[in-house]
Amino acid sequence: MTRSALPFLIAAGLLAATPVLAQNAPLGAAGRWTIDLKASNFNEALTGPAPLTAEVDVTKDDGKSLAWTLIEEDAEGLAAIQFADAPLDGTPTKAVVNTQIVMISVHRDGPHGVTAVTSNKTGRKQSMKVWLADPDTLKVEQDVDGQPGPPDQSLTFKRVK
């Protein structure tokens, strides 16, 4: 996957809970989010050029699953698009990135975070840790290359008011 995997982040991305009561609580991520390019760090060697814009629309955040659409644009127009609706218990489910079907598993990491792992038919995997840093800031740490070490990309999204 290329930069278009960024969406899983997000997508996939988002929040968690440890106590039993919090496990079914919404993550607080519903709504529209736009990327803050200045606060984000891209690894263009792995993912290609950074997008000019990116927006995530989280349409379901009911504490049991998360659904989102991610759209990225570059100078030529649509750079990537992603659709997913994933349970937060780690059950693998299908998602669409551009025209490719991939598998995604999303696990809650606490009251406001998730880890999403995606894989495609070639077996390539990537992971993203997604969490709310505050009610209006969504952070994503993305591991694209599968190698130990710091995240390959760190992205920041701001809630659209």
Side-chain angles (χ1 to χ4, degrees):
M1 282 180 246
T2 63
R3 171 181 80 226
S4 61
L6 157 72
F8 284 123
L9 83 47
I10 281 136
L14 294 135
L15 328 205
T18 47
V20 174
L21 292 175
Q23 288 179 345
N24 290 324
L27 302 169
R32 286 184 34 224
W33 301 84
T34 59
I35 196 160
D36 180 341
L37 293 170
K38 291 181 182 177
S40 299
N41 297 306
F42 296 90
N43 184 335
E44 294 187 0
L46 284 174
T47 63
L52 296 177
T53 66
E55 181 174 294
V56 177
D57 187 9
V58 178
T59 56
K60 181 168 59 170
D61 176 10
D62 62 8
K64 297 176 186 170
S65 61
L66 199 58
W68 68 93
T69 300
L70 173 90
I71 297 173
E72 296 179 22
E73 295 180 42
D74 61 16
E76 297 177 15
L78 183 64
I81 189 165
Q82 178 188 82
F83 302 96
D85 186 342
L88 298 179
D89 65 1
T91 302
T93 191
K94 291 179 183 178
V96 176
V97 176
N98 299 330
T99 59
Q100 184 179 34
I101 293 176
V102 300
M103 296 303 293
I104 186 168
S105 297
V106 181
H107 298 274
R108 291 184 76 123
D109 288 334
H112 301 289
V114 297
T115 295
V117 178
T118 62
S119 60
N120 62 16
K121 290 179 183 177
T122 67
R124 183 171 181 196
K125 291 184 179 182
Q126 91 168 297
S127 65
M128 295 184 192
K129 290 184 182 263
V130 182
W131 72 96
L132 284 177
D134 62 53
D136 294 322
T137 306
L138 185 67
K139 296 283 202 168
V140 178
E141 288 184 348
Q142 187 177 18
D143 175 30
V144 178
D145 64 6
Q147 301 298 315
D152 296 317
Q153 297 191 136
S154 298
L155 312 172
T156 300
F157 287 80
K158 295 293 186 178
R159 187 182 297 273
V160 176
K161 303 267 181 185

